[in-house]
Amino acid sequence: MRRAARLFSLKPLLLFGTCSSLLLPRNDYYSSAFLAHNDAPIASAGDAPGHHQKVKGSFLLKTPTELSEAAKAAATFGLEEKQGQNEQVGRLLIALRDKQLGPNVSVFYKQDGGLVITSGKGAFMKDIDGNLHLDCCNNVASVGHAHPAVVKAGQDELANIQTNGRFLNPIQQRYVTKLLATFPPELNTIYLVNSGSEANDLALRIAREHATAKRQKDVIILDSAYHGHTQALVDISPYKWYQAVDGKNYKPDTTHVVSCPDGFRGRYRFGHTEKSAELYAKEVEDIVNSPEGGVGVFIAESIVGCGGQVVPPPTYLKRVYEAVRAKGGVCIADEVQTGFARAGTHFWMFQAHGVVPDIVTVGKPMGNGYPIAAVICRREVAESFARTGIEYFNTYGGNSVGCAIAEAVLDTIHKEDLQQNALEVGEYLTERLNTLIPKYDWVGEVRGVGLFQGIEFVKSRADKDNLQPYPELTKFLVDFLRYQRVIVSRDGPDENVIKVKPPLVFSKENVDQLVTSLDNALQCAQKLGIF
Ligand code: PMP
């Protein structure tokens, strides 16, 4: 009966034409432009001081003519997915997306037919065949997929009204009061927006107005950072520049890149120490203290997500903030990924570094998937922005449906004590992941806090003086885990870091499933003999 219902739901798709006419053979999935991208040489990282070489056009898969190594291995190890409808529908949807969407929009597991997800609950996602997948990558669904309190709050308010933020609505002020209470008292002013990119874009505008530095419009960023998809943000996101294969220099002169403070495989390899902090911070000090003068803005995540879950060494942010402010600069903490109790020890990741930023941007988990985000700043910073005389208006920003949902998310974090859960389960996760280190020379480092962790894979950890990233193995592991129904993502400039950033309702049992599956995947990789 349920199967029949699912088939019925596919009808509109099938009306596009017969499946067979749309389901292209695997080797036709990729346009020649895509292949040209993948054949392009690896360009240098511009004048960024990083040592990494980002895999070019990395969202485009390299060997489209056949299934991934992991899919083939999974089959030989008896793990082949009973594909059911996913096999057919996944390839149909991919074929349609390839025609309908811009060619640089990516899909998870594209090489193996994608994964058609139809619902979710807690830390699990259900695919079209009814299989449950453990979700270790969705920091957005922070209180768990389809949390009933969040769904109800949205449905109820949507049934009332959804209107322009210039009308008054008590929900907004009720929510903002609760949200601001989670910040240090200096951070007392908010702008409500709809996405992390909007938040960072606005934060840049605000910061540039408040800064008194000689190079007021300039920005200092960390190598490999990602801050969003608008033009102003791509200008400060080396993560994006490194994907480019067109030979253009995407780094504007106003952007100053300093090394990502990675004590393991970064420019200075002194671990998580004061020495690392000092050396990395010196790069910022050198820029702001140069004869050209101070720089208007410094922006960073308090754990660098897209940079490969890099945890800045202790005192790094303190030193940097001090140096930037001394020359009239403004410090922004991008908490879009790391915020809302994920750190476990603190509600906001910057608090773990003992700093109070001038501006904080938040998003992703704020609405558990509903688009709502915010810029939170000091009053005097907002006043500088207001002095321009330009009104700030945002059609959907702060709408009552978004605020009702965000309020339900925040209430749920408190009610279910999810910060404490992130702390306890996060500690257990670190402990369990660390058991893999003595077993596999490939596991370079386990790092992160709470439910924001990363596992970096190298060719040989024993080869201390010549640590080489192992992206091929990392891709294999991510793809292989999918066949054990565990979903993780990989990132970092060398794409050799598995990121673990699950919904905050993740349990110790979920950790066991993840680590056991990863252990199995590593054993299979060893048995295959290709790594
Ligand atoms: N900042 C960081 C650190 C992010 O990771 C992202 C998204 N991955 C953004 C900003 C942009 O957020 P959005 O995709 O909601 O625009």
Side-chain angles (χ1 to χ4, degrees):
M1 188 59 201
R2 289 183 62 195
R3 191 173 166 77
R6 281 199 300 268
L7 278 173
F8 181 74
S9 69
L10 291 176
K11 244 180 156 179
L13 283 173
L14 299 179
L15 290 177
F16 275 93
T18 64
C19 271
S20 57
S21 68
L22 283 163
L23 286 174
L24 308 173
R26 278 179 190 147
N27 53 1
D28 283 338
Y29 268 61
Y30 302 83
S31 68
S32 53
F34 274 25
L35 292 173
H37 275 199
N38 283 323
D39 288 343
I42 292 176
S44 84
D47 66 351
H51 61 289
H52 300 290
Q53 289 190 317
K54 177 82 182 169
V55 182
K56 293 287 163 177
S58 54
F59 61 94
L60 307 165
L61 293 166
K62 277 210 161 158
T63 47
T65 49
E66 50 180 340
L67 290 172
S68 69
E69 289 296 341
K72 288 186 272 179
T76 62
F77 290 111
L79 277 169
E80 194 170 25
E81 186 89 43
K82 296 279 169 290
Q83 288 282 359
Q85 290 188 79
N86 195 82
E87 169 73 27
Q88 219 188 11
V89 177
R91 295 207 181 272
L92 170 61
L93 294 177
I94 287 172
L96 286 170
R97 280 174 66 119
D98 279 353
K99 287 184 181 183
Q100 295 168 340
L101 308 188
N104 46 356
V105 179
S106 66
V107 177
F108 284 141
Y109 312 113
K110 187 172 184 180
Q111 191 172 6
D112 299 328
L115 194 52
V116 186
I117 294 296
T118 52
S119 64
K121 191 169 185 206
F124 287 90
M125 296 191 286
K126 196 185 265 187
D127 71 24
I128 193 166
D129 293 313
N131 301 311
L132 288 180
H133 301 259
L134 180 64
D135 182 354
C136 307
C137 76
N138 261 302
N139 54 343
V140 173
S142 80
V143 299
H145 289 285
H147 191 289
V150 177
V151 172
K152 185 171 185 322
Q155 285 173 336
D156 286 355
E157 186 52 20
L158 202 49
N160 288 334
I161 195 165
Q162 169 75 312
T163 187
N164 177 322
R166 286 195 184 114
F167 294 104
L168 297 174
N169 189 309
I171 298 174
Q172 188 186 91
Q173 271 51 63
R174 199 174 65 214
Y175 171 58
V176 166
T177 305
K178 291 181 186 179
L179 180 63
L180 289 179
T182 66
F183 284 93
E186 309 86 306
L187 294 167
N188 55 9
T189 302
I190 191 165
Y191 293 89
L192 290 157
V193 298
N194 307 291
S195 71
S197 294
E198 267 190 51
N200 279 335
D201 196 286
L202 176 61
L204 270 188
R205 282 180 65 197
I206 297 172
R208 282 170 163 154
E209 291 303 337
H210 188 70
T212 54
K214 196 164 161 202
R215 291 180 278 177
Q216 194 187 20
K217 303 284 180 207
D218 287 20
V219 187
I220 299 176
I221 50 156
L222 304 185
D223 197 10
S224 297
Y226 177 65
H227 294 295
H229 56 71
T230 70
Q231 184 60 60
L233 300 175
V234 172
D235 284 352
I236 59 164
S237 295
Y239 182 74
K240 290 280 135 185
W241 314 338
Y242 295 162
Q243 292 172 351
V245 291
D246 55 11
K248 288 187 190 152
N249 176 14
Y250 281 89
K251 190 192 91 61
D253 291 341
T254 48
T255 299
H256 306 270
V257 187
V258 293
S259 299
C260 188
D262 171 5
F264 177 62
R265 223 167 44 76
R267 175 174 253 189
Y268 308 113
R269 303 181 180 189
F270 297 101
H272 207 62
T273 61
E274 275 294 311
K275 187 163 184 188
S276 286
E278 197 184 316
L279 288 168
Y280 281 115
K282 188 171 177 303
E283 290 190 13
V284 176
E285 290 158 9
D286 286 349
I287 294 173
V288 298
N289 296 329
S290 76
E292 287 129 284
V295 169
V297 190
F298 171 79
I299 181 168
E301 290 179 275
S302 307
I303 289 188
V304 192
C306 293
Q309 308 292 81
V310 171
V311 186
T315 76
Y316 172 76
L317 283 179
K318 263 190 177 164
R319 290 166 187 266
V320 168
Y321 276 28
E322 242 173 68
V324 169
R325 283 172 172 158
K327 291 293 161 84
V330 171
C331 298
I332 304 175
D334 180 339
E335 290 270 348
V336 168
Q337 288 226 29
T338 53
F340 285 99
R342 185 158 290 279
T345 50
H346 300 83
F347 202 83
W348 303 104
M349 198 67 82
F350 67 79
Q351 294 172 309
H353 293 267
V355 294
V356 180
D358 303 301
I359 304 178
V360 180
T361 54
V362 303
K364 288 188 191 275
M366 186 172 176
N368 214 47
Y370 186 89
I372 180 166
V375 176
I376 296 98
C377 63
R378 297 171 191 260
R379 191 76 198 164
E380 63 271 24
V381 174
E383 278 166 359
S384 298
F385 184 49
R387 268 196 295 278
T388 58
I390 300 169
E391 180 203 15
Y392 183 73
F393 175 68
N394 185 328
T395 302
Y396 305 118
N399 70 74
S400 61
V401 176
C403 287
I405 288 173
E407 183 186 27
V409 172
L410 190 54
D411 287 348
T412 302
I413 292 174
H414 293 316
K415 223 182 274 173
E416 298 184 7
D417 210 0
L418 294 180
Q419 185 176 328
Q420 184 62 19
N421 192 62
L423 181 67
E424 284 169 20
V425 177
E427 279 171 2
Y428 183 63
L429 175 64
T430 309
E431 192 185 302
R432 288 294 322 271
L433 287 174
N434 274 319
T435 63
L436 299 175
I437 292 183
K439 288 175 89 170
Y440 303 98
D441 190 34
W442 292 327
V443 182
E445 188 177 63
V446 170
R447 56 181 177 247
V449 298
L451 289 173
F452 201 69
Q453 303 202 22
I455 312 135
E456 175 154 2
F457 293 94
V458 291
K459 295 211 164 137
S460 167
R461 189 184 62 251
D463 195 2
K464 274 198 192 75
D465 298 329
N466 186 29
L467 291 170
Q468 294 298 319
Y470 212 164
E472 300 84 0
L473 171 72
T474 318
K475 173 173 165 35
F476 173 88
L477 296 171
V478 171
D479 288 343
F480 195 88
L481 281 166
R482 173 249 172 112
Y483 290 99
Q484 296 177 88
R485 305 214 175 109
V486 173
I487 308 297
V488 294
S489 59
R490 82 183 158 128
D491 223 324
D494 296 306
E495 303 200 23
N496 66 327
V497 179
I498 286 187
K499 290 167 89 168
V500 183
K501 48 186 181 74
L504 298 183
V505 292
F506 216 62
S507 65
K508 289 185 178 173
E509 199 186 2
N510 298 149
V511 169
D512 288 337
Q513 186 183 344
L514 164 65
V515 179
T516 305
S517 303
L518 184 55
D519 197 354
N520 285 341
L522 283 157
Q523 272 181 47
C524 289
Q526 268 180 343
K527 283 191 188 134
L528 275 181
I530 55 172
F531 295 105

